[in-house]
């Protein structure tokens, strides 16, 4: 009977020890899961940020091209408009007017492309700034943890290193 009683106590103690360690592991894993989810989000945002930066550089190159095109088109349209003079021959005047109108349409199209490109650049810069802010916030949430899982303040670490 004594052996059976001891087995019950040993079994009960082992069961309690197992439950206690399981509860501790579960609490630690839930903290780690939160950090892992935040790190995963940071990685996703970094990927998006890098893709946006690549798009921004491409759009900046396109913007330069559109600026040159718009400058050339505006110059041609101004020149064609300034050189326009009505002549005695109606056919010549009509041809000149048609050519001037074509140059002005080209200038209008070039200016529209330039404006759209500027909007894209501004939008990409805004998205990049927003993503950088999100990443900074998440990085603040993911603080270094010590072996016990307690949050460690960066300022406290700096002070400890000085001492």
């Amino acid at each position: 009977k004594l052996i059976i009683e001891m087995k019950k106590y040993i079994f009960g103690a082992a069961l309690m020890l197992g439950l206690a360690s399981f509860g501790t592991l579960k609490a630690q894993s839930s903290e780690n899961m939160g950090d892992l989810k935040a790190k995963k989000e940071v990685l996703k945002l970094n990927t998006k940020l890098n893709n946006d930066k690549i798009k921004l550089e491409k759009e900046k190159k396109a913007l330069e091209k559109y600026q040159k095109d718009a400058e050339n088109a505006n110059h041609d349209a101004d020149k064609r408009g300034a050189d326009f003079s009505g002549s005695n021959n109606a056919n010549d005047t009509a041809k000149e007017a048609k050519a001037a109108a074509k140059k002005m349409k080209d200038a209008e199209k070039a200016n529209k492309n330039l404006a759209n490109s500027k909007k894209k650049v501004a939008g990409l810069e805004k998205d990049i700034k927003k993503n950088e802010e999100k990443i900074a916030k998440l990085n603040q949430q993911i603080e270094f943890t010590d072996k016990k899982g307690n949050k460690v303040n960066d300022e406290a670490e700096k002070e400890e290193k000085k001492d």
Side-chain angles (χ1 to χ4, degrees):
K1 289 185 177 183
L2 185 63
I3 295 176
I4 295 174
E5 289 286 325
M6 285 183 65
K7 284 183 182 178
K8 285 181 184 179
Y9 285 120
I10 291 174
F11 179 71
L15 184 64
M16 294 298 264
L17 183 62
L19 288 174
S21 64
F22 178 73
T24 304
L25 289 175
K26 185 164 177 85
Q28 287 177 351
S29 68
S30 67
E31 285 179 16
N32 291 338
M33 288 300 290
D35 284 348
L36 290 175
K37 286 180 182 179
K39 287 178 183 177
K40 181 180 176 183
E41 184 68 21
V42 167
L43 288 174
K44 263 200 290 191
L45 287 171
N46 274 327
T47 302
K48 184 172 178 5
L49 179 66
N50 289 335
N51 288 337
D52 286 347
K53 284 182 178 180
I54 290 169
K55 286 179 189 176
L56 178 64
E57 289 304 314
K58 287 180 182 178
E59 195 58 41
K60 281 184 177 181
K61 287 183 180 181
L63 179 64
E64 288 177 22
K65 178 187 172 282
Y66 289 138
Q67 282 176 332
K68 288 177 185 175
D69 290 348
E71 285 174 16
N72 291 336
N74 288 334
H75 178 70
D76 290 346
D78 288 343
K79 186 177 177 183
R80 187 60 85 162
D83 291 346
F84 182 77
S85 61
S87 67
N88 293 337
N89 189 351
N91 271 345
D92 289 343
T93 304
K95 284 181 185 178
E96 266 190 66
K98 202 174 201 182
K102 184 180 182 314
K103 291 293 182 182
M104 289 187 185
K105 276 189 179 182
D106 290 345
E108 184 180 350
K109 183 178 176 184
N111 287 323
K112 186 176 180 181
N113 287 340
L114 179 62
N116 287 339
S117 184
K118 284 182 179 180
K119 284 181 188 176
K120 282 183 186 178
V121 167
L124 285 169
E125 287 174 343
K126 182 180 173 184
D127 289 345
I128 287 171
K129 184 177 179 183
K130 190 169 85 172
N131 284 334
E132 285 175 341
E133 289 172 357
K134 283 182 183 179
I135 289 170
K137 264 187 188 176
L138 285 172
N139 281 334
Q140 286 176 353
Q141 288 176 359
I142 305 169
E143 294 176 347
F144 295 107
T145 55
D146 62 7
K147 290 180 183 177
K148 294 178 185 175
N150 296 328
K151 298 278 184 185
V152 176
N153 190 350
D154 290 338
E155 297 297 323
E157 284 181 359
K158 289 178 185 176
E159 288 178 18
E160 289 176 2
K161 287 181 182 178
K162 287 179 184 177
D163 294 336

